[in-house]
Amino acid sequence: MSGKQSTGYEGFTAEERAAMKEHAEEEKKAARRTSRADKAALALQDVLDKIADMPDSDRAIAERVHAIVTENAPDLAPKTWYGMPAYARDGKVVCFFQSADKFKARYATLGFNDSANLDDGPMWPTSFALTEVTPEVEERIAALVRQAQG
């Protein structure tokens, strides 16, 4: 048999490595913050800055998602997570927005981690593709984040 045989694993993509580096920087930045109020205000500003840096199509969706989450799940604290806007309870990320541009994907994603209270029998979705935020999508997101916050 001649030629190279692929093992299937080619390592992390450049986008994945960049996200891991961003996460390490986020953790260092959070550790340097002093008061609880200072941490919350600066974490919110970090989220708003990440949203502002997104391409127009992702930014419009992220702005709506941010508004819906903060209005419907006020107990979730905004923070960045792997360079993405995220919302946490007791420091654990419950949900996050991933722009399509972040990993060169076809669509943006609203994702939920295992700390979200979305359990529905033996199987349930934990991420949702977003191409636009219609009134119906807004209602669905609002319901999901209210359920997720517990």
Side-chain angles (χ1 to χ4, degrees):
M1 190 168 176
S2 64
K4 277 180 146 176
Q5 186 175 16
S6 175
T7 61
Y9 177 73
E10 297 180 20
F12 295 107
T13 66
E15 293 84 9
E16 290 168 330
R17 285 191 302 275
M20 288 185 281
K21 186 176 178 180
E22 278 185 283
H23 183 62
E25 290 301 318
E26 292 162 359
E27 293 298 311
K28 288 178 192 174
K29 187 188 279 187
R32 288 190 301 262
R33 293 178 174 161
T34 54
S35 73
R36 187 178 188 108
D38 181 43
K39 288 181 183 189
L42 292 171
L44 171 59
Q45 189 58 54
D46 289 345
V47 166
L48 297 175
D49 290 346
K50 284 294 178 186
I51 292 170
D53 288 343
M54 291 178 187
D56 292 345
S57 59
D58 286 337
R59 184 174 54 249
I61 295 171
E63 287 170 345
R64 288 305 308 134
V65 167
H66 176 74
I68 295 165
V69 173
T70 56
E71 180 181 322
N72 289 278
D75 293 340
L76 299 182
K79 68 181 280 179
T80 55
W81 185 63
Y82 292 95
M84 297 176 283
Y87 306 87
R89 177 181 48 243
D90 300 324
K92 293 183 181 182
V93 172
V94 173
C95 63
F96 59 92
F97 176 81
Q98 180 179 299
S99 73
D101 187 63
K102 180 82 175 165
F103 294 106
K104 312 297 183 233
R106 187 167 63 97
Y107 47 78
T109 305
L110 175 63
F112 294 87
N113 284 342
D114 59 349
S115 58
N117 296 315
L118 297 180
D119 303 35
D120 184 19
M123 183 176 157
W124 57 90
T126 58
S127 66
F128 299 84
L130 289 171
T131 57
E132 67 177 312
V133 181
T134 65
E136 294 80 19
V137 170
E138 284 189 13
E139 283 301 314
R140 181 70 175 129
I141 293 170
L144 284 167
V145 298
R146 282 193 300 266
Q147 182 180 350
Q149 84 171 343

